Amino acid sequence: MKRFHLNLKVSDLEKSRAYYANLFGEQPAVVKPDYIKWMLDDPYINFSIEPVSDAAGGETGIAHVGLQAESPEELQSVYERVQDAAGPRFEEGATTCCYASSEKNWTQDPDGLIWEAFYTDGQVTHYGKLPDLGGGQSDAACCLS
């Protein structure tokens, strides 16, 4: 089963951490100085927050959304649907992002919303690299703040 992913840019990471911990009724699964993530089962979502940065345009709100696959095979079926949607695509492949080792690609809907399709196969101790999505879109994608 695919897990929905939502990444928000927030103005105050600690205030947002407290707010969402109370809203969700549980503490985050990952807490770093520049990134916090909940892996919730109800609702089934990977919900993460990051501080706003000038590099990301300095605005709060939705950074990107996505679909997190539970296996490489499931990720392949998501990739096929991304291709069928016929939006612009960036195939990032194996990467380290948001304190995780992942396989991913990106697309953009007709209104410019960035979508991430990914499978995570492990955690790492560093934030990761910045993907170069081209066309000035890198500030909207994961790990770009």
Side-chain angles (χ1 to χ4, degrees), residues 20-31:
Y20 288 112
N22 286 324
L23 181 67
F24 298 142
E26 65 183 78
Q27 294 300 312
V30 175
V31 177

Side-chain angles (χ1 to χ4, degrees), residues 2-3 7 12 22 26 42 47 61 64 71 77 79 82 88 93 100 103 110 112 120 127 133 135 143:
K2 291 161 286 305
R3 185 183 298 259
N7 178 263
D12 186 314
N22 286 324
E26 65 183 78
D42 184 16
F47 180 85
H64 66 272
S71 70
S77 74
Y79 279 177
V82 166
E103 175 80 22
T120 296
Y127 195 76
L133 301 182
C143 307

Side-chain angles (χ1 to χ4, degrees), residues 5-93:
H5 170 57
L6 176 62
N7 178 263
L8 297 181
K9 297 293 184 184
V10 299
S11 61
D12 186 314
L13 200 58
E14 284 307 312
K15 279 185 179 179
S16 293
R17 174 185 177 176
Y19 174 86
Y20 288 112
N22 286 324
L23 181 67
F24 298 142
E26 65 183 78
Q27 294 300 312
V30 175
V31 177
K32 303 291 181 178
D34 55 353
Y35 180 80
I36 298 174
K37 175 174 72 176
W38 287 259
M39 294 294 285
L40 302 170
D41 290 329
D42 184 16
Y44 200 62
I45 187 170
N46 168 341
F47 180 85
S48 60
I49 57 177
E50 302 178 47
V52 170
S53 73
D54 291 334
E59 295 184 20
T60 59
I62 296 173
H64 66 272
V65 295
L67 296 172
Q68 181 177 5
E70 292 187 350
S71 70
E73 298 78 21
E74 188 173 66
L75 181 60
Q76 185 58 42
S77 74
V78 174
Y79 279 177
E80 290 168 6
R81 287 195 304 251
V82 166
Q83 187 169 357
D84 290 346
R89 291 188 320 273
F90 171 73
E91 297 178 15
E92 187 172 10

Side-chain angles (χ1 to χ4, degrees), residues 94-114:
T95 189
T96 299
C97 179
C98 304
Y99 299 96
S101 172
S102 300
E103 175 80 22
K104 61 176 67 183
N105 75 20
W106 303 84
T107 187
Q108 188 174 34
D109 80 3
D111 291 315
L113 182 62
I114 301 292

Side-chain angles (χ1 to χ4, degrees), residues 112-125:
L113 182 62
I114 301 292
W115 278 83
E116 173 185 27
F118 65 104
Y119 167 70
T120 296
D121 59 3
Q123 303 303 309
V124 297
T125 59

